[in-house]
Amino acid sequence: YGKNTIKFLRLHKEGKKHFVKEVEVCTHLRLTSAQEYLDGNNSLVIPTDTIKNIVLVLAKKHGIPTIEQFAIDICKHFMTTFCQVGYVKTYVQEVPWQRLHENGVPHIHSFICVPDGIRFCEAEQCRNGPLVVFAGIKDLKLMKTTQSGFEGFYKNEHTTLPERNDRILCGELFCKWSYGDCKDFDFDCIWYKNKIRECILEAFAGPPDCGEYSPSYQKTVNCIQMCILSKVSQVQVIEVVLNNTFYNVVDMTNLGLINDKEVLVPVETPYGSCACTLGRKKFLEA
Amino acid sequence: YGKNTIKFLRLHKEGKKHFVKEVEVCTHLRLTSAQEYLDGNNSLVIPTDTIKNIVLVLAKKHGIPTIEQFAIDICKHFMTTFCQVGYVKTYVQEVPWQRLHENGVPHIHSFICVPDGIRFCEAEQCRNGPLVVFAGIKDLKLMKTTQSGFEGFYKNEHTTLPERNDRILCGELFCKWSYGDCKDFDFDCIWYKNKIRECILEAFAGPPDCGEYSPSYQKTVNCIQMCILSKVSQVQVIEVVLNNTFYNVVDMTNLGLINDKEVLVPVETPYGSCACTLGRKKFLEA
Amino acid sequence: YGKNTIKFLRLHKEGKKHFVKEVEVCTHLRLTSAQEYLDGNNSLVIPTDTIKNIVLVLAKKHGIPTIEQFAIDICKHFMTTFCQVGYVKTYVQEVPWQRLHENGVPHIHSFICVPDGIRFCEAEQCRNGPLVVFAGIKDLKLMKTTQSGFEGFYKNEHTTLPERNDRILCGELFCKWSYGDCKDFDFDCIWYKNKIRECILEAFAGPPDCGEYSPSYQKTVNCIQMCILSKVSQVQVIEVVLNNTFYNVVDMTNLGLINDKEVLVPVETPYGSCACTLGRKKFLEA
Amino acid sequence: YGKNTIKFLRLHKEGKKHFVKEVEVCTHLRLTSAQEYLDGNNSLVIPTDTIKNIVLVLAKKHGIPTIEQFAIDICKHFMTTFCQVGYVKTYVQEVPWQRLHENGVPHIHSFICVPDGIRFCEAEQCRNGPLVVFAGIKDLKLMKTTQSGFEGFYKNEHTTLPERNDRILCGELFCKWSYGDCKDFDFDCIWYKNKIRECILEAFAGPPDCGEYSPSYQKTVNCIQMCILSKVSQVQVIEVVLNNTFYNVVDMTNLGLINDKEVLVPVETPYGSCACTLGRKKFLEA
C-alpha cells in the first residue's frame, strides 16, 4: 500500500469576512494488484502527485465544510474513480487557527494559532464494505494539582512505589471515537451541540468548586469514555489514551527544608500511558 | 562558561484554590578563573547539581511571584554568594498552563496547556555592572489572509518573484524588550495593565473591521515595535523577529480550474525571517 | 492496557575492555481484568514504577546479550510472574554507539554515536499463545542519484506528473521481519553471519560498478524483501516501508541557464511512503 | 536584517561516477537603509526569492568544491552586486551523505546518510571589512565509560553532589574555529591532511589502550582546543561547547542488589553544557 501526506490552506470569503481552514491530509491506498511490486509494472499505480491533485481539486470545488465530510468525499472519490483500489483511508487534521478578537470584536481576516487540542478525523473503506468514520481530539494537555492518588495496587518484591493519595495528575489526552452508520450527519453540529471538548474537560477535572478524586489514570480514562458515550448518542466506540507525565516532590531534607508538595520536578523516564477502548453494551478491550 | 537548564513546577495554595507555575530555568555562569580549563583544578567550579539546588531552594522559599522577579533573585544570589562568578545570566520561560473554566466558572485545581505564545524573561549581570532585565513573548503564530502585499522591491537579473498586493502574511513572532533602570517594577502589572500581548496582536492585525495594509514583513515588524514603545514607557529597546511562512496559490490551470486564492500550499523552503531592534530616540540596528 | 518506556545503559567489562549497550525499552501490558477502569480497584494493577524496576533488574542480572533475547526474557518474566497479565509486548531499540578506533586500533572504553540505521526488535505473547519475535532496522536513509525512474503509471484527468527515467531515488527505510518458531536462536549470529544490513544496502543499490535500474519505489521495496527472504532462512514474513523524499530538478530557464539534473531541491510536501508485507509461499498484503 | 534558509542538492558526474553534495545554506543580510522598516519603501529590499535564486545559480555555475569556498563565493557575490548591503553572513552545513561500499568496493551512484558529526562553515563580511571564515563540526556524540571524574569542586550549604572518580562522560560536541587571513586556502586539504576530526576524537578519548583521565568536562574541552591549535596552524581561535548528558548509577539496594556501575539511567534535567573560546597567545573568554 501507499501513503501520502499533503498540507494546505483553504480560504473562503463571505462578503469581506474571511474563513480559513488549514489541514494536513494523509491518504492511504491499497491496490488489488501486486504487479507493481513483483514485476515493476506501474500500469495501475496512482502517483503521489495525482493523489495530491485530487485532494486539492476536491478542496477547491467543494471547500472543507467539516473535516469529516471532506475525508468522506476523498474516500468516495477514490473508490468510485479507481477500480484498482481495494482499500482507502483518509486522515485529516486541522491546524488550530482561531479568529483574533480585539476587545471582544472578531477580526475579519486575522487569526492566531492556539494548539490546545487538535481535531482530527478518519474515513475508511474496503471495496464492498461500509464507509466508517472516526473523529477525535489529540494533544490535549491537562493537569490536576490535587484530587488524585494511586493506592492499593499489586505489590511484590519489585515494588518500590509508595502509596499516594495526593499526587499531581498530568497527561496528554488522545480521544478517538467511531460514528456508527453515518449517512447524513452534521459533524460540526454533533461536535458543538454536544460540547464534546467541554465534556472531556469536565470528566477530567470534576466540578469546578471541588474536583473529583481520581484513584488512577485508568479510572479517569474510563470517566471520559462514559461521559462521551452518555452525552453523544451517535458515538459507538471510543478509545482514550492518556500519556502520563509524572511529577516527583523534590526531597529537600538534606537542604534543611520541608517541601510540602510545593516544588516538583517532571520525571522524563519512565513514562507511561494507559489506554482503553470502550463500546456500547460490551467491552471490546480493556 | 557553563550553562544549566532545569524544569520544575511550583505549586501554591490560597485556601482551597491552587496556583501553578511550571518553568524552565537556564542559568549561565562565567567564572573569573581559568584554572579549571587549563589545569583541571575544580576548586572554584560550582557544580550543575548545586546550581539546580539553588534554583529549587529559591523557588521553595519565595515562590515565583513573576518570572522576571525570580530571574532577578537568581542572578543576585549568584553574584552575592560566589565571588568567583564574573557574569551571570538567567533565562526563565513559562509552560503556558491556564486555569480551566466550566461554564465560565474557574476550576480550583485544574489546568490546560494553551501554547499560543510563551512568556519569557532574562536577567543579566556582570560583576560591578548593572543588572539588566529583558522580557518577551515567543512562538506566537499569526496569520492575515489579506491586506498584505510586497511590491516595488529591488530587481535585477536574478529576480523571478512577481509583485503581489494580496498575499497571505503568516509567521511566528518573537519579541524581546529591555526594561531600563529597573528597581522596583511590578512586572505582571506592566504586562497586564499595558496589555502588551493585545498590543502586539493589534499592531499585527489592524482594526477588526478592515485590518491595515502591510507592504512588507519589515513594516509589520516596525509597527509592532512602535506600538510597544508608545504604550509601555518602561521599555527602552525592543527586538522583533518574524519568521515568515510563505503560502503559494496553487496553479490549477492544467487541471482545468481557476484558483482565485482559494487553495494555497505552505512553502517549506526557502523560508526567511526579518528582524529589527529599535530603541528610544535612536536606531540601534536595522 | 498500559505502556511504559524506559531508557538506560548497561555497562559490561571484560578485563579492562568496556562494552556498552544503551537501549530504550517499551513494555505493553494488557490485564485480563477491567475493574481498575470501571471501579477504580487497583489491586491487580502493576505500577509503571514496578515495570521499570523489573526491566532494570533483568538487565543487571543477565545483561543484554542480544536485544532480542532481552525482549524475550522480559516477556517471559511478566507472563510467568503475573497471572493477571493477558498480553505482553516488549519493544527494544538500541542507541547506535560504536567503539572508537584510532588508526585502526579499537579504543577500550570510548564510543561514538553513529545513527546510520537503528536496530530494534519486538517480542509478543498472549496468554496460552506462542511467543513471537520480530527484528528490524529503521531510520536508514539511502539515496541513488541515477538508475531510477517512474513510467507507465495510471493516468487520468488529474494526472500532471511527467514520466521520468532518470530521477533521484531517496528515502528512509524501515524493515521488520518475524522469526518463525524461535527456540534457541543466536540472534546476533543471524544478523552478522547473514549480513542482513549489507544485504538491504545491496538490494537497494545494485552492483557497485553499474547499479540496477529501479522502475518504482514499489519494486525496490520488493527487491529488498526478496533478498532477505532468500538469504535468511529463519525469516518468515518481512515488512518494508520506504518513506520517499522527492527531489525536483530546479527549472532555471528564466535565469538563462540549462539545469541538466545538477541542482535539485527536496520537495517537502506531498511526501509519500510505500509499504509491503511479504511472506514465504504466499502474499499476505500488497 | 533578514535571514533566509534554503536546502538543495548539487549533483556532479565524472564519467559514470556520481558525486553528491546536499547542503543547507542560510544567508543573513543587513541593509544600510532603514526605509523599508520605517516607511514601507521596498526599493532596496532584496527578496528572499532572489537570494534563493542567487545561491542556486552559484551552485549550478561553479559547483560546491568545498562548503567554505561556496560560503565565500556567496558573500562576495552579495557584497559586489548590491551596494545597499552593509553586512552579509553565510552559513553552510552538509547533509552527511557517504558513498556506499559493497565488500570494500565504492558504489558509483549510491549513498547512505551517516550523521556522526555535521561539518559546517560560516563566511562573514561587513562593508569595508575583511572576509572572515569559520569552520566547524557539530552534533558529534561521544562517550567514555571510565577515566572520568569530578572532585575537589567548590562546596557550600547547597552542595549535595558527591565526589566521583569513575563516572561516565557523555556529551554532544560543537567545535567552531576561525581561520585568520584566508586568501587561497584549500579547506578540504586542511580538514583531511590535519585529520581534524580524528584529532578531536583522540583528544576526547585518549590513547586506545588506556584512555586519559578527565577531571572535568572543562578540562576535556580545553584538551580538544589545545590539540587543534597545535595541529592546525591556520586556526586562530577555537570555540568548543560540550553539552553534557549525565548518567546516574541506579540504586538497587532496596531491590536486594548491588549495582557496581552496571546499570545507569540518563538524567534529563538538569542538563548542562560547558563552553570555552581559546585563541593563540591570549585567552579571549573563559
Side-chain angles (χ1 to χ4, degrees):
Chain A
Y1 69 92
K3 222 161 85 171
N4 178 286
T5 303
I6 175 164
K7 203 171 164 184
F8 67 96
L9 188 148
R10 179 65 167 88
L11 190 58
H12 160 72
K13 296 170 207 172
E14 293 183 8
K16 290 182 68 180
K17 195 170 181 186
H18 286 222
F19 296 83
V20 71
K21 221 155 223 174
E22 186 167 7
V23 289
E24 199 173 306
V25 177
C26 181
T27 308
H28 303 233
L29 291 181
R30 198 179 304 149
L31 303 188
T32 49
S33 67
Q35 64 193 19
E36 68 277 18
Y37 284 95
L38 299 177
D39 310 325
N41 177 339
N42 295 329
S43 61
L44 295 175
V45 177
I46 307 162
T48 286
D49 185 76
T50 304
I51 300 173
K52 177 200 71 172
N53 286 340
I54 289 169
V55 170
L56 294 178
V57 163
L58 290 175
K60 151 74 187 163
K61 282 187 174 166
H62 312 303
I64 306 179
T66 66
I67 55 172
E68 291 87 353
Q69 194 56 51
F70 188 55
I72 291 170
D73 291 349
I74 294 170
C75 277
K76 282 185 175 167
H77 180 93
F78 280 99
M79 269 299 166
T80 311
T81 312
F82 303 97
C83 55
Q84 71 266 44
V85 169
Y87 168 82
V88 58
K89 180 164 80 174
T90 302
Y91 171 88
V92 182
Q93 76 175 41
E94 278 188 2
V95 178
W97 292 109
Q98 286 186 9
R99 189 173 296 280
L100 272 185
H101 286 73
E102 298 182 4
N103 300 313
V105 183
H107 199 286
I108 54 165
H109 60 243
S110 293
F111 303 87
I112 179 169
C113 187
V114 185
D116 58 348
I118 304 285
R119 266 187 79 176
F120 68 90
C121 72
E122 235 174 62
E124 185 179 31
Q125 189 169 22
C126 287
R127 188 154 296 281
N128 305 321
L131 192 148
V132 189
V133 179
F134 300 86
I137 188 166
K138 63 173 194 169
D139 299 346
L140 194 57
K141 284 176 208 158
L142 299 172
M143 179 189 282
K144 283 173 63 171
T145 52
T146 187
Q147 288 282 52
S148 164
F150 189 47
E151 299 177 288
F153 45 78
Y154 191 86
K155 295 181 190 67
N156 70 2
E157 77 273 20
H158 291 120
T159 309
T160 54
L161 187 73
E163 309 221 323
R164 276 174 301 178
N165 58 19
D166 187 15
R167 63 171 183 178
I168 289 208
L169 193 157
C170 180
E172 196 173 299
L173 211 60
F174 171 95
C175 302
K176 179 181 166 185
W177 53 86
S178 79
Y179 293 114
D181 203 355
C182 59
K183 302 267 156 160
D184 292 303
F185 283 178
D186 180 335
F187 293 98
D188 268 5
C189 176
I190 295 173
W191 180 272
Y192 289 111
K193 204 177 147 196
N194 290 288
K195 301 184 170 182
I196 291 184
R197 194 170 180 282
E198 290 76 2
C199 164
I200 292 169
L201 298 181
E202 281 176 44
F204 176 86
D209 59 333
C210 60
E212 186 173 328
Y213 185 73
S214 161
S216 66
Y217 280 90
Q218 286 85 343
K219 181 68 179 137
T220 294
V221 161
N222 187 251
C223 281
I224 294 167
Q225 295 175 315
M226 296 299 275
C227 164
I228 293 184
L229 283 175
S230 72
K231 278 216 176 170
V232 192
S233 61
Q234 295 91 341
V235 170
Q236 298 301 310
V237 178
I238 175 161
E239 179 190 4
V240 171
V241 183
L242 186 54
N243 289 304
N244 321 331
T245 307
F246 299 112
Y247 284 83
N248 276 347
V249 176
V250 179
D251 183 354
M252 293 185 153
T253 48
N254 52 3
L255 293 163
L257 293 166
I258 294 163
N259 180 11
D260 182 22
K261 217 185 86 167
E262 294 155 291
V263 179
L264 303 99
V265 291
V267 180
E268 308 282 331
T269 174
Y271 59 88
S273 71
C274 87
C276 184
T277 304
L278 189 68
R280 296 205 177 274
K281 290 207 189 128
K282 61 184 184 301
F283 252 115
L284 295 185
E285 188 185 66
Chain B
Y1 70 92
K3 219 161 90 170
N4 177 286
T5 303
I6 175 164
K7 205 173 163 182
F8 68 95
L9 188 148
R10 180 64 167 88
L11 190 58
H12 160 71
K13 294 170 209 173
E14 294 183 6
K16 292 183 68 179
K17 196 171 181 185
H18 286 220
F19 296 83
V20 71
K21 220 155 224 174
E22 187 168 6
V23 290
E24 200 173 304
V25 176
C26 182
T27 308
H28 304 233
L29 292 181
R30 199 179 303 152
L31 302 188
T32 50
S33 67
Q35 64 192 23
E36 68 276 19
Y37 285 96
L38 298 177
D39 311 327
N41 178 340
N42 295 328
S43 61
L44 295 175
V45 177
I46 307 162
T48 287
D49 186 74
T50 304
I51 300 173
K52 177 200 71 173
N53 287 340
I54 290 169
V55 171
L56 295 177
V57 163
L58 290 175
K60 153 73 187 164
K61 282 186 175 165
H62 312 303
I64 306 179
T66 65
I67 56 171
E68 289 87 354
Q69 193 56 53
F70 188 55
I72 291 170
D73 291 349
I74 294 170
C75 277
K76 282 185 175 167
H77 180 93
F78 280 100
M79 269 301 166
T80 311
T81 313
F82 303 98
C83 56
Q84 70 267 45
V85 168
Y87 168 82
V88 57
K89 180 165 80 173
T90 303
Y91 171 88
V92 182
Q93 76 174 42
E94 278 189 0
V95 179
W97 291 110
Q98 287 187 6
R99 190 174 295 281
L100 270 185
H101 286 73
E102 298 182 5
N103 300 313
V105 183
H107 199 286
I108 54 165
H109 60 243
S110 293
F111 303 88
I112 180 169
C113 187
V114 185
D116 57 347
I118 304 286
R119 264 187 80 176
F120 68 90
C121 71
E122 238 174 58
E124 187 180 27
Q125 190 169 21
C126 287
R127 187 156 297 278
N128 304 323
L131 193 146
V132 190
V133 179
F134 300 87
I137 188 166
K138 61 173 195 166
D139 299 346
L140 193 58
K141 284 176 209 159
L142 300 172
M143 179 189 281
K144 284 172 63 172
T145 53
T146 188
Q147 287 282 52
S148 164
F150 189 48
E151 299 177 288
F153 44 79
Y154 190 87
K155 295 180 191 67
N156 70 1
E157 77 273 21
H158 291 120
T159 308
T160 54
L161 188 75
E163 308 220 323
R164 274 173 303 177
N165 58 19
D166 187 16
R167 63 173 182 175
I168 289 206
L169 192 156
C170 180
E172 198 173 297
L173 210 60
F174 171 94
C175 302
K176 179 180 164 185
W177 52 87
S178 79
Y179 293 115
D181 202 355
C182 57
K183 302 265 155 157
D184 290 304
F185 283 179
D186 180 337
F187 294 99
D188 268 6
C189 176
I190 295 174
W191 180 273
Y192 290 112
K193 204 178 147 194
N194 290 289
K195 301 186 171 183
I196 292 185
R197 193 170 182 281
E198 290 75 2
C199 162
I200 293 168
L201 298 181
E202 280 177 43
F204 176 87
D209 58 332
C210 59
E212 185 173 328
Y213 184 72
S214 161
S216 66
Y217 280 90
Q218 286 85 341
K219 180 68 177 138
T220 293
V221 160
N222 186 251
C223 282
I224 294 167
Q225 294 175 315
M226 296 299 274
C227 164
I228 292 184
L229 282 176
S230 71
K231 277 214 177 173
V232 192
S233 60
Q234 295 90 341
V235 170
Q236 297 302 311
V237 179
I238 175 161
E239 179 191 3
V240 171
V241 183
L242 186 54
N243 288 302
N244 321 331
T245 308
F246 300 113
Y247 283 84
N248 276 346
V249 176
V250 179
D251 183 353
M252 293 186 152
T253 47
N254 54 0
L255 292 163
L257 292 165
I258 294 163
N259 180 12
D260 181 21
K261 217 185 83 166
E262 293 155 293
V263 179
L264 303 100
V265 292
V267 180
E268 309 281 331
T269 174
Y271 60 88
S273 71
C274 84
C276 184
T277 303
L278 189 67
R280 296 205 178 274
K281 291 211 187 121
K282 62 184 183 300
F283 249 115
L284 294 185
E285 186 183 68
Chain C
Y1 69 92
K3 223 162 86 170
N4 179 287
T5 304
I6 175 164
K7 203 170 164 183
F8 67 97
L9 188 147
R10 181 63 169 89
L11 190 58
H12 160 71
K13 297 170 206 172
E14 292 182 9
K16 291 182 67 179
K17 195 169 182 187
H18 286 222
F19 296 83
V20 71
K21 221 156 222 173
E22 186 168 6
V23 289
E24 198 174 306
V25 177
C26 182
T27 309
H28 303 234
L29 292 181
R30 199 180 303 152
L31 302 188
T32 50
S33 67
Q35 64 193 21
E36 68 276 19
Y37 285 95
L38 299 176
D39 309 327
N41 178 339
N42 295 329
S43 62
L44 295 175
V45 176
I46 307 162
T48 287
D49 185 75
T50 305
I51 300 172
K52 176 201 70 173
N53 286 341
I54 290 169
V55 171
L56 294 178
V57 163
L58 290 174
K60 152 74 187 162
K61 282 187 175 165
H62 312 302
I64 306 179
T66 66
I67 55 170
E68 290 87 353
Q69 194 56 51
F70 188 55
I72 291 170
D73 291 350
I74 294 171
C75 278
K76 281 185 176 166
H77 180 93
F78 280 99
M79 269 300 169
T80 311
T81 312
F82 303 97
C83 57
Q84 70 267 44
V85 169
Y87 168 83
V88 56
K89 180 165 81 175
T90 302
Y91 170 88
V92 183
Q93 75 174 40
E94 278 188 2
V95 179
W97 292 112
Q98 286 187 7
R99 189 174 296 280
L100 271 185
H101 286 72
E102 297 181 6
N103 301 314
V105 183
H107 199 285
I108 55 163
H109 60 242
S110 294
F111 304 87
I112 180 170
C113 186
V114 186
D116 58 347
I118 304 287
R119 264 186 81 177
F120 68 90
C121 72
E122 234 173 62
E124 185 180 30
Q125 189 169 21
C126 287
R127 188 153 296 279
N128 304 321
L131 194 147
V132 189
V133 179
F134 300 85
I137 188 167
K138 61 171 194 168
D139 300 345
L140 194 58
K141 285 177 208 158
L142 300 172
M143 179 190 280
K144 285 172 63 171
T145 51
T146 187
Q147 287 282 53
S148 164
F150 189 49
E151 300 177 287
F153 45 78
Y154 190 88
K155 294 180 192 66
N156 71 2
E157 77 273 21
H158 291 120
T159 308
T160 54
L161 188 75
E163 309 220 322
R164 276 173 303 177
N165 57 20
D166 187 15
R167 63 172 182 177
I168 290 209
L169 193 157
C170 179
E172 196 172 300
L173 211 59
F174 170 95
C175 301
K176 179 181 165 185
W177 53 87
S178 80
Y179 294 114
D181 203 354
C182 57
K183 303 264 160 169
D184 291 304
F185 283 0
D186 180 338
F187 294 99
D188 268 5
C189 176
I190 295 174
W191 181 272
Y192 290 112
K193 205 178 145 194
N194 290 288
K195 302 185 172 183
I196 292 185
R197 195 171 179 280
E198 289 76 1
C199 164
I200 293 169
L201 297 181
E202 281 176 44
F204 176 86
D209 58 332
C210 60
E212 186 173 328
Y213 185 72
S214 161
S216 65
Y217 280 90
Q218 286 86 341
K219 181 69 178 137
T220 294
V221 161
N222 187 251
C223 283
I224 294 167
Q225 295 174 314
M226 296 299 274
C227 163
I228 293 185
L229 282 174
S230 72
K231 279 216 175 171
V232 192
S233 61
Q234 296 91 337
V235 170
Q236 298 302 310
V237 178
I238 176 163
E239 179 191 3
V240 171
V241 183
L242 186 53
N243 288 304
N244 321 330
T245 306
F246 300 112
Y247 283 84
N248 275 347
V249 177
V250 179
D251 183 355
M252 292 185 153
T253 46
N254 52 3
L255 293 163
L257 293 165
I258 294 163
N259 180 11
D260 183 23
K261 217 185 85 165
E262 293 155 292
V263 180
L264 303 100
V265 290
V267 180
E268 308 282 330
T269 174
Y271 60 88
S273 72
C274 86
C276 185
T277 304
L278 189 67
R280 297 206 176 276
K281 291 207 188 126
K282 60 184 187 300
F283 250 113
L284 294 186
E285 188 185 68
Chain D
Y1 68 93
K3 220 161 91 170
N4 178 289
T5 304
I6 174 163
K7 205 173 163 181
F8 67 95
L9 189 148
R10 181 63 168 88
L11 189 59
H12 160 72
K13 295 171 208 174
E14 292 181 9
K16 290 182 69 180
K17 196 169 180 187
H18 286 222
F19 297 84
V20 70
K21 219 155 224 173
E22 187 168 4
V23 289
E24 200 174 304
V25 177
C26 181
T27 309
H28 303 234
L29 292 181
R30 197 179 305 150
L31 303 188
T32 50
S33 67
Q35 63 192 24
E36 68 277 19
Y37 284 95
L38 298 177
D39 311 325
N41 178 338
N42 296 328
S43 60
L44 295 175
V45 177
I46 307 162
T48 288
D49 186 76
T50 304
I51 300 172
K52 177 200 71 173
N53 285 341
I54 290 168
V55 171
L56 294 178
V57 163
L58 290 174
K60 152 73 187 166
K61 282 187 175 164
H62 312 303
I64 306 179
T66 66
I67 56 171
E68 289 87 355
Q69 194 56 54
F70 188 54
I72 291 170
D73 291 349
I74 294 171
C75 277
K76 283 185 175 166
H77 180 93
F78 279 99
M79 269 299 167
T80 313
T81 313
F82 303 99
C83 55
Q84 70 265 47
V85 169
Y87 168 81
V88 58
K89 179 164 80 173
T90 302
Y91 170 88
V92 183
Q93 75 174 43
E94 277 188 3
V95 179
W97 291 111
Q98 286 187 7
R99 189 173 296 281
L100 271 185
H101 287 74
E102 298 182 5
N103 300 313
V105 183
H107 199 286
I108 53 165
H109 61 243
S110 293
F111 303 87
I112 180 170
C113 186
V114 185
D116 58 348
I118 303 286
R119 263 186 81 175
F120 68 89
C121 71
E122 236 172 61
E124 187 179 30
Q125 189 168 22
C126 286
R127 186 153 299 278
N128 304 322
L131 194 146
V132 188
V133 180
F134 300 86
I137 187 166
K138 61 173 195 167
D139 299 346
L140 193 57
K141 284 176 209 159
L142 300 172
M143 179 190 281
K144 284 172 63 171
T145 53
T146 188
Q147 289 281 52
S148 163
F150 189 49
E151 298 177 290
F153 44 79
Y154 190 85
K155 294 180 193 67
N156 70 2
E157 77 272 20
H158 290 121
T159 309
T160 54
L161 188 75
E163 308 221 321
R164 277 173 302 178
N165 57 20
D166 187 15
R167 62 171 184 178
I168 290 209
L169 194 156
C170 180
E172 198 172 298
L173 211 59
F174 171 96
C175 302
K176 179 180 164 184
W177 53 86
S178 79
Y179 293 114
D181 203 356
C182 58
K183 302 266 159 162
D184 290 304
F185 283 178
D186 181 337
F187 294 97
D188 268 5
C189 176
I190 295 173
W191 180 272
Y192 289 112
K193 205 177 150 196
N194 290 288
K195 301 185 174 186
I196 291 185
R197 195 172 179 280
E198 289 76 2
C199 163
I200 294 169
L201 299 181
E202 280 176 44
F204 176 87
D209 59 334
C210 60
E212 186 172 329
Y213 184 72
S214 160
S216 65
Y217 280 91
Q218 286 86 341
K219 181 70 178 135
T220 294
V221 160
N222 187 250
C223 282
I224 294 168
Q225 295 175 315
M226 296 299 275
C227 163
I228 293 185
L229 282 175
S230 72
K231 278 216 175 170
V232 191
S233 61
Q234 296 91 342
V235 170
Q236 298 302 312
V237 178
I238 175 161
E239 178 191 4
V240 171
V241 183
L242 185 54
N243 288 303
N244 321 331
T245 307
F246 300 112
Y247 283 84
N248 276 347
V249 177
V250 180
D251 182 354
M252 292 184 155
T253 48
N254 53 2
L255 293 162
L257 293 164
I258 295 162
N259 180 12
D260 183 22
K261 216 185 86 167
E262 293 154 293
V263 179
L264 303 100
V265 291
V267 179
E268 309 280 332
T269 174
Y271 59 88
S273 70
C274 85
C276 185
T277 303
L278 190 66
R280 295 204 178 277
K281 291 209 188 127
K282 63 181 184 301
F283 249 114
L284 294 186
E285 185 185 68

